[in-house]
Amino acid sequence: MNRKFWSIGLLAAVMLVSAGCGQKPGAAPDNTPEQVTPAPGGQTGQGNEDPTSGAGGASTGTDVTKPETKTESIKSYYTDPDVMELVEGTANISYKEDQDKYEAAYQTLQKSDNQGMIPLWEKIEMKSLKFENGTITIDVHVPDEANLGAGGEAFAIDAIKKTFFQFDEVKSIQLLVDGQQAESLMGHVDLEYPMTR
């Protein structure tokens, strides 16, 4: 009798173990949806691309922290139609970084919508501009048609000094002509290295 009960007990134990094993395949699919859940946060589709999508998401987050465009009204300087005096005007500039601000300020010296304000730097090409440790270094190319005579040249230098020195952080200006410290901008007025307030 005891053997019979022992055989039935063993059979019951084997059936319980088999039933337990039968549940394991069912448990795996339950975990699978939990692993798939993050995928909609990235790109839908292949699960292998989720880490890449996550990196893309981080990159997008970095893009959001980029500086916003700022708009500022600044003073810019021109001459009258007879090139007899320096004329102060105002201009709006838009920029994201400080470097962009100085380039935008230079560009205001090259154009004017007012017929009474003639841009002195219109034909002078800016080759490069950088701001470092309080000094703006501008490298320009001055074609023959940009020559304004002694009076115009003096106004042009005053115009660039007044335009850039309105920014408190600018302490000096290095004005280079074709990458060199030239004696003058147009052959009439001596240039200082650097120009200071």
Side-chain angles (χ1 to χ4, degrees):
M1 285 294 270
N2 286 342
R3 275 187 172 180
K4 190 172 183 182
F5 285 118
W6 184 84
S7 297
I8 292 172
L10 183 60
L11 182 62
V14 169
M15 290 177 66
L16 283 173
V17 169
S18 298
C21 290
Q23 288 179 353
K24 284 184 182 175
D30 290 342
N31 288 338
T32 305
E34 289 177 14
Q35 293 172 354
V36 174
T37 304
Q43 293 181 357
T44 54
Q46 293 108 4
N48 292 341
E49 292 182 2
D50 286 343
T52 308
S53 300
S59 174
T60 304
T62 304
D63 293 343
V64 173
T65 61
K66 284 186 177 177
E68 293 181 8
T69 302
K70 301 173 190 173
T71 303
E72 187 176 336
S73 180
I74 66 166
K75 293 176 183 175
S76 194
Y77 295 85
Y78 312 91
T79 190
D80 64 287
D82 298 322
V83 195
M84 298 297 291
E85 61 181 345
L86 196 64
V87 180
E88 180 183 296
T90 58
N92 291 322
I93 59 171
S94 297
Y95 61 95
K96 291 185 178 180
E97 307 280 353
D98 282 347
Q99 178 76 19
D100 301 331
K101 173 172 74 171
Y102 307 126
E103 290 175 4
Y106 180 86
Q107 288 167 7
T108 68
L109 295 169
Q110 296 185 299
K111 59 189 175 193
S112 169
D113 295 329
N114 187 329
Q115 292 182 350
M117 297 180 178
I118 309 303
L120 294 153
W121 290 80
E122 181 178 20
K123 297 175 182 175
I124 300 175
E125 173 196 347
M126 178 181 66
K127 296 172 77 174
S128 67
L129 183 151
K130 70 176 182 178
F131 176 72
E132 192 174 32
N133 299 325
T135 299
I136 284 187
T137 302
I138 311 167
D139 185 13
V140 298
H141 172 69
V142 186
D144 291 339
E145 60 269 21
N147 197 321
L148 301 170
E153 183 177 352
F155 289 143
I157 292 167
D158 283 346
I160 203 161
K161 287 169 72 174
K162 286 177 176 279
T163 298
F164 284 113
F165 286 145
Q166 72 186 294
F167 304 118
D168 292 337
E169 67 274 17
V170 178
K171 307 301 181 191
S172 62
I173 301 168
Q174 287 275 20
L175 183 60
L176 306 177
V177 179
D178 295 321
Q180 304 294 320
Q181 289 188 356
E183 288 184 15
S184 67
L185 186 64
M186 301 172 190
H188 307 289
V189 180
D190 290 343
L191 287 175
E192 300 171 39
Y193 291 96
M195 293 185 280
T196 54
R197 292 177 178 273

